[in-house]
Amino acid sequence: MKSLRFVAAEGFIQSGPSAVENLNCVSFNLYPLLFKACYLHEQADLLRVLVQAWPLPVLDLHSLLGQTVDCQMDLTSQTCRLCLESILTGLKDYVLSPPRTYAKRLHLVDLTALKDVEHQPCPCQSTLGRWARTHLLTQMCYDIMVAMQDCDVSSSVFETSIDVRLNGFVTGRNYELVAQTFVLLRYCPLKLRFVSFRADSLSLKQLFYVLRLADTESILKLEIVHNVPLEATHLEVLLSKVAFPKLQSLTVPTGALDIRRLASDDDVMSIIGNQLAQLSGLTELYVGFSTLTGHLRKLLNPLNTPLQCLELANCCLSRVDMTYLSNSLHSEFLVRLDISGHDIFSSFPTCFHKLLCRCSATLVSLALEECNIEDEHMDAFIDALTCCQGLEELKLLGNPLTSEALQRLFSMLSVGFPKLKYIEMPVPRQCYSESVTYPLNDSDLLLFNRELFEEVRGQLMGIMEGAGRESVEVCSPLMGAYDSEINETSNELGVSMLKSFNSVIGNFIGCITEVNDRRSQDQDNN
């Protein structure tokens, strides 16, 4: 739905070269309207001129591209390369140019509303992802500093100060440019503030250095992922040396918190728990694939603020851990919970039931992938799940459930759970060979009867449609859900993993060679 004002704005931006000439005559309160119209129709040249002449104190993509009274379309998921490059180039022009029709008032640019999605809805089909946006902005900051050094700029440049809020993404490829920008931050008119900081494919030295340089007061979300060799002792040092006063969300790499690497008398987990307690705003913790057996209380009990999002997938939790979690303060506030990779009905069925009951009022997303949930557990599972009527997402991939059990589950979900939007269903057990064992290995994962699978999926969708719930999305992303960051930097991640593999093989060969040399030396001595 578009208002007449927006339709008029569309007509203005499509009027050709005269639109640029007539922009000086446009009232400043119409700039947001023209901005969205330009973005929608990919009028990149006019968009650049619009930003260069921006008369308002704030340029916030959430309020500009989100749903508005004049245009209900939400364009924040259209990370169009053509438009975003024009916006950022226009911002650079704004800084380096003298004031035009209106005096320079801009002091805040907020890019955090942009959402990277798998299927790009913009006409050009070309995206500017999170990593590319970070790289382009840091390059712009460097270019502005070079121009200021040449003294061939307006005097207004030295009086300009604009906070630029973005979700930053730092890897080995753009590390030097980002670090250099942070070093010069106090002198640059554009003050980059990472609201979300994602680090991948960095050495520990690089990670610590770039975080020490960054303005950590602005960081609400810190993601240290994949190819960063962070372990528990390193995390302890990081949290003791770098302050994160407003941090709300923390993600650590796979296997970072592994109690098997710690000495029996080492109390690092308790220390980290106390450090996390100092982060008074922390409500999200993602520690998947860490080995925490018997140590969950040490990590979570010191926290004064209850967690709302907790990922404990494949953390080898014991009954003691689940007993603690189901009785903890956190359980009453959980919004998103992932305990995939645990045999819940063989190891702690009572604790699981209690946990879901305690978080039923708040729980929105539940992930139980590869939890060995079988047909015989369906009564207990349905009983535990029934209390979570506010559930919006349910993820059950990798569980050995037959079509009959899934039909029971979907029948139950279709008559309740009014907010349910998304289900990740497992491939039914009978679609695989009888010789296949669970959890499925990579070689068996895709070897299933696709015809039978589609037939069963159709039956399950029929159950939902029969109850008027056809809007619920049902899928089976066996190769994992789409990750825009991994997709954007997959080549770099692959190279880093290959280097790590080569290093491990090199060390192994070195050890074998050393052993052979010692044996030869011993034989010669004898």
Side-chain angles (χ1 to χ4, degrees):
M1 187 69 181
K2 299 176 183 178
S3 69
L4 288 176
R5 276 170 28 108
F6 194 81
V7 173
E10 289 179 304
F12 178 87
I13 65 155
Q14 293 172 334
S15 60
S18 62
V20 176
E21 298 170 7
N22 295 329
L23 194 60
N24 293 335
C25 305
V26 174
S27 174
F28 71 91
N29 61 335
L30 295 177
Y31 272 64
L33 207 62
L34 296 176
F35 185 96
K36 188 168 186 178
C38 285
Y39 201 94
L40 176 61
H41 295 284
E42 293 188 350
Q43 295 289 327
D45 293 337
L46 183 56
L47 193 58
R48 176 177 176 175
V49 175
L50 202 65
V51 175
Q52 184 182 355
W54 197 253
L56 303 170
V58 175
L59 196 158
D60 181 1
L61 293 191
H62 176 71
S63 59
L64 291 171
L65 299 181
Q67 290 186 356
T68 60
V69 174
D70 292 296
C71 179
Q72 294 296 312
M73 297 176 67
D74 186 346
L75 306 180
T76 53
S77 61
Q78 293 190 20
T79 52
C80 171
R81 174 177 292 273
L82 195 63
C83 290
L84 290 174
E85 285 181 345
S86 295
I87 292 171
L88 298 181
T89 306
L91 180 60
K92 177 183 171 183
D93 295 340
Y94 177 94
V95 171
L96 295 177
S97 303
R100 299 177 64 182
T101 307
Y102 297 102
K104 286 187 176 183
R105 299 174 58 203
L106 185 62
H107 64 81
L108 174 63
V109 175
D110 194 331
L111 308 175
T112 57
L114 292 172
K115 299 186 287 284
D116 298 292
V117 296
E118 182 174 6
H119 302 293
Q120 183 57 231
C122 74
C124 76
Q125 296 290 299
S126 179
T127 66
L128 192 73
R130 181 175 175 180
W131 185 92
R133 295 193 294 270
T134 305
H135 183 75
L136 181 57
L137 265 169
T138 48
Q139 182 64 58
M140 273 177 36
C141 289
Y142 181 76
D143 293 343
I144 289 172
M145 292 299 297
V146 170
M148 291 172 68
Q149 272 192 323
D150 293 341
C151 299
D152 188 25
V153 293
S154 167
S155 59
S156 64
V157 176
F158 298 91
E159 301 167 4
T160 302
S161 179
I162 304 172
D163 280 352
V164 182
R165 295 163 55 88
L166 73 152
N167 296 323
F169 189 2
V170 185
T171 66
R173 271 195 301 158
N174 66 353
Y175 161 76
E176 289 189 6
L177 188 58
V178 173
Q180 190 175 44
T181 301
F182 282 153
V183 168
L184 300 172
L185 193 63
R186 59 182 298 185
Y187 305 106
C188 184
L190 296 181
K191 313 295 185 184
L192 294 193
R193 314 292 186 196
F194 283 12
V195 176
S196 174
F197 193 116
R198 183 181 177 94
D200 194 358
S201 300
L202 295 177
S203 67
L204 288 174
K205 182 178 179 180
Q206 290 173 325
L207 173 67
F208 278 54
Y209 183 63
V210 76
L211 283 173
R212 289 292 293 269
L213 291 175
D215 175 19
T216 55
E217 283 198 7
S218 65
I219 298 177
L220 304 181
K221 184 174 185 177
L222 177 61
E223 301 171 279
I224 308 171
V225 298
H226 304 128
N227 202 38
V228 178
L230 188 80
E231 297 185 6
T233 50
H234 306 135
L235 181 60
E236 177 197 346
V237 174
L238 176 64
L239 293 177
S240 65
K241 298 296 183 183
V242 183
F244 299 96
K246 297 181 181 178
L247 194 68
Q248 298 174 2
S249 176
L250 175 64
T251 301
V252 298
T254 297
L257 306 181
D258 191 340
I259 61 168
R260 296 171 300 180
R261 299 178 190 151
L262 305 175
S264 57
D265 58 346
D266 199 331
D267 210 19
V268 172
M269 288 299 173
S270 296
I271 296 172
I272 292 175
N274 289 323
Q275 290 173 327
L276 294 178
Q278 301 303 312
L279 306 174
S280 58
L282 189 71
T283 57
E284 300 180 6
L285 186 61
Y286 302 89
V287 293
F289 292 86
S290 292
T291 302
L292 298 173
T293 313
H295 287 68
L296 189 62
R297 176 188 289 272
K298 292 182 179 181
L299 189 65
L300 301 186
N301 197 53
L303 273 63
N304 300 310
T305 305
L307 294 173
Q308 296 177 17
C309 299
L310 181 60
E311 184 202 2
L312 296 169
N314 296 279
C315 284
C316 302
L317 300 180
S318 66
R319 184 173 297 166
V320 172
D321 295 315
M322 282 299 291
T323 300
Y324 160 72
L325 183 59
S326 61
N327 289 284
S328 70
L329 177 66
H330 304 292
S331 65
E332 297 180 356
F333 294 86
L334 289 172
V335 176
R336 310 184 74 87
L337 175 65
D338 186 348
I339 52 174
S340 301
H342 295 95
D343 196 341
I344 53 178
F345 287 107
S346 295
S347 302
F348 29 71
T350 305
C351 295
F352 173 70
H353 189 283
K354 183 174 183 179
L355 177 60
L356 290 196
C357 287
R358 285 175 63 89
C359 66
S360 60
T362 56
L363 195 65
V364 167
S365 176
L366 178 62
L368 299 170
E369 299 178 11
E370 296 186 344
C371 285
N372 199 31
I373 303 174
E374 301 185 74
D375 289 23
E376 62 187 83
H377 305 134
M378 193 48 61
D379 287 337
F381 182 51
I382 288 176
D383 186 40
L385 201 60
T386 301
C387 59
C388 302
Q389 289 295 311
L391 209 61
E392 296 180 13
E393 294 181 357
L394 180 61
K395 302 177 181 181
L396 296 171
L397 291 179
N399 287 292
L401 293 168
T402 64
S403 59
E404 291 77 14
L406 287 171
Q407 286 173 0
R408 282 191 59 197
L409 177 62
F410 272 64
S411 297
M412 185 270 293
L413 293 173
S414 67
V415 296
F417 302 88
K419 298 180 180 179
L420 192 64
K421 300 175 183 176
Y422 181 80
I423 303 173
E424 288 185 4
M425 60 164 275
V427 174
R429 179 67 184 85
Q430 62 261 48
C431 292
Y432 286 105
S433 166
E434 292 184 4
S435 61
V436 166
T437 58
Y438 285 77
L440 298 166
N441 57 45
D442 291 342
S443 59
D444 294 327
L445 185 62
L446 300 177
L447 299 178
F448 61 91
N449 187 328
R450 296 180 184 275
E451 240 179 80
L452 180 57
F453 170 74
E454 289 299 332
E455 180 183 335
V456 174
R457 184 177 180 277
Q459 294 170 355
L460 298 177
M461 290 296 296
I463 293 173
M464 301 303 289
E465 290 169 3
R469 306 295 301 278
E470 56 275 352
S471 62
V472 177
E473 181 182 355
V474 179
C475 61
S476 301
L478 299 181
M479 302 307 293
Y482 176 77
D483 188 315
S484 58
E485 281 85 11
I486 291 179
N487 184 63
E488 187 179 12
T489 58
S490 57
N491 290 338
E492 182 179 2
L493 181 60
V495 169
S496 298
M497 293 177 68
L498 186 59
K499 286 181 178 177
S500 298
F501 178 74
N502 288 340
S503 176
V504 171
I505 293 297
N507 292 337
F508 177 72
I509 293 174
C511 290
I512 295 296
T513 304
E514 186 178 344
V515 170
N516 287 336
D517 289 344
R518 286 179 182 174
R519 285 178 178 173
S520 299
Q521 189 175 0
D522 291 341
Q523 289 174 357
D524 292 341
N525 292 337
N526 293 333

